[in-house]
Amino acid sequence: MSRILQSLQGYVPSLLRPISQKPASRVSTSITQVRGKKKSSRGGKDPRIQLIHYSLYHPLTPRPLKFSYLRHLRHWTIHRAWQLYKANMRRERELELERMYNSIRDSCEKLKTIGDGGRLYRIAISKQGLGQWGGIGTRIPTEAPGRNGGWDYTYKNQ
Amino acid sequence: MASLRSARPSFLRPLLNPTAASARTFTTSAETASTTASISSETQNAPTKPIDIYHVPRQPYHLSTGIVLSRPPLVTRDLPAFEQAYYVYQRRLDQRLALPFTSAFYFKKKTVAEEEYKAKKKVREQKPWFYNPYDRHNGFKDEIPAGQLSKQGLWFGAGAPELGYQELVETTPSGEEKIMEESQSALGVAAGKTAPERPYPRETEADRTGDFTKLDRKLSRTLYLLVKGEDEGFAGGKRGWRFPTARLQGDESLRQAAERILPEACGTNMNTWFVGNVPIGHHQYDYPSPVAPDPKLPHEKEDPVPILGRQVFYMKARILAGQVDLANSKHGFKDFAWVTKEELRKVVGREYYISNMNMLASR
């Protein structure tokens, strides 16, 4: 399979090739067999297979990026700025979570000191009955709000 | 407590009884039998409650539960300008490094889809933001000069992707117009009556009017419920915007108290979910002057010390649907508002905000 593909590299269907690039003559006794082999494995005049080959082996390929000194400097600056930005975002998120956790911990420590023998504290840290997610109506954030206009105000009587 | 007492060795027990200790000397086990009679007679003559060293006196503060009821964000966050510019930059580089689009592979010749593609391609090529990386002379100009993003139609300001969606509809073949045509003709509706469905705007009516009681305001942010009421003993005697708070009753836990208070204070027309048993924050403050203890409460009767202030423990809850209804509020709240963290900071006092800010989400 790979040998056939290699032999087909650079092939452009005749319809799409500019006229100037068409070969003068297709008939040549010395290479008839080779040409014939190529045609049959390309599917002959089957346009679907020709299209697939054209898409995969397009004559125009992306040029490798070659930056001048200043262009490269701009690119490097943007890259560094983005890395910094992402690092700051991550750090902010970590710190916020840490603050929330510390707030929970400090509240539990305070609960221990209220003088009821730690009863409310033990109830607070108890995991009995928990484990099911109760937020079944929670809407996952989307790019735009839903058809109902953003919020359901019609809910009545809990 | 009884079991603990019995676990203590007998020679230590006299030490804990202050009235009896002064009258007694240490005796050996052989002599305890003779002295037990005298000990018991002495305790009967001077009955005093033994000091329990394991008893920690109750703090002289009223216990309260506060409810932090939040509406999480309903839409994705607003992209800052830097992020949008970066994504445009990366998109251009990606276009430079990708193979050209072979439309003949995707759109069969002499079909309606191909016609739509050709028409939209013409529109796309006239757009100011159009970039062809395979253009021999201008393919290298992939950068956009600073400040030119909005002029090129690549940035519409934070939180307005619906304008970008309009451009997308104009330049991308999707077959939607054809489907709309066919469905309209099938239903008997006149052609061209309805356009392809577009996303609803992220800025709602509530944003424009600035109505703080609405829950579809600031869809990309978390909203917290604040209530205004005349509660005796609010911080420093001031009455203002606070989280709904009320005192614990009986022997209920913090979560039970919160689940009782919320419908009592804010109505039953809300679908809420309390997240766990753990308090997410606390706040202690003193009343302007100490309050007399209530003899009806067992722990206040036991330790009749004037109550200095209040200890509040906040429980986290989420609202899933519905709205606050203060009509039959049992806790005297007069007004409510749904605010973001910054708005909360402006409305409540500095001290209150500092005690609360760590438990609130910034987005």
Side-chain angles (χ1 to χ4, degrees), chain A residues 3 20 23-24 28-29 48 77 81 86-87 91-92 97 124 154:
Chain A
R3 258 191 290 143
S20 55
S28 170
T29 46
R48 296 175 300 174
T77 313
K86 291 297 275 186
R91 189 168 153 272
E92 271 177 35
L97 288 171
T154 60

Side-chain angles (χ1 to χ4, degrees), chain A residues 2 7 15 26-28 41 43-44 57 63 72-73 77 82 86 89 116 122 125 135 142 148 151:
Chain A
S2 56
S7 63
L15 288 164
R26 287 240 196 92
V27 178
S28 170
S41 39
Y57 306 106
R63 295 187 69 172
H72 176 76
L73 200 62
T77 313
W82 182 250
K86 291 297 275 186
M89 287 280 120
D116 61 349
R122 282 194 300 277
I125 63 169
T142 49
N148 65 352
W151 190 257

Side-chain angles (χ1 to χ4, degrees), chain A residues 11-63:
Chain A
Y11 169 76
V12 175
S14 55
L15 288 164
L16 295 158
R17 204 190 298 156
I19 294 163
S20 55
Q21 287 186 23
K22 274 192 184 157
S25 153
R26 287 240 196 92
V27 178
S28 170
T29 46
S30 57
I31 56 170
T32 312
Q33 280 175 340
V34 178
R35 280 279 175 86
K37 209 196 276 183
K38 276 188 183 179
K39 253 198 203 169
S40 60
S41 39
R42 275 185 220 138
K45 292 216 168 141
D46 191 354
R48 296 175 300 174
I49 299 172
Q50 288 176 355
L51 263 178
I52 292 167
H53 287 311
Y54 183 64
S55 304
L56 291 174
Y57 306 106
H58 203 280
L60 292 175
T61 46
R63 295 187 69 172

Side-chain angles (χ1 to χ4, degrees), chain A residues 55 71 74-75 85 96 99 103-104 107 110 114 119 124 126 141-143 147 149-153 157-158, chain B residues 59 74-76 80 83 89 102 142-143 197 202 215-216 251 268-269 277-278 280-281 284 322 358 362:
Chain A
S55 304
R71 176 69 181 88
R74 287 196 290 279
H75 181 77
Y85 178 76
E96 182 171 91
R99 268 180 257 124
S103 177
I104 291 171
S107 311
K110 185 78 183 174
I114 56 174
R119 176 181 161 266
S126 154
T142 49
E143 282 260 318
R147 273 196 211 99
W151 190 257
D152 172 27
Y153 289 102
N157 293 324
Q158 185 181 10
Chain B
Q59 288 230 327
L74 297 174
V75 300
T76 51
E83 261 189 75
Y89 176 76
T102 48
D142 59 338
E143 288 173 288
E197 198 170 2
R202 290 158 66 98
L215 275 156
D216 50 359
D251 61 348
T268 53
N269 297 337
N277 295 332
V278 155
I280 57 167
Q284 178 177 303
N358 290 336
S362 45

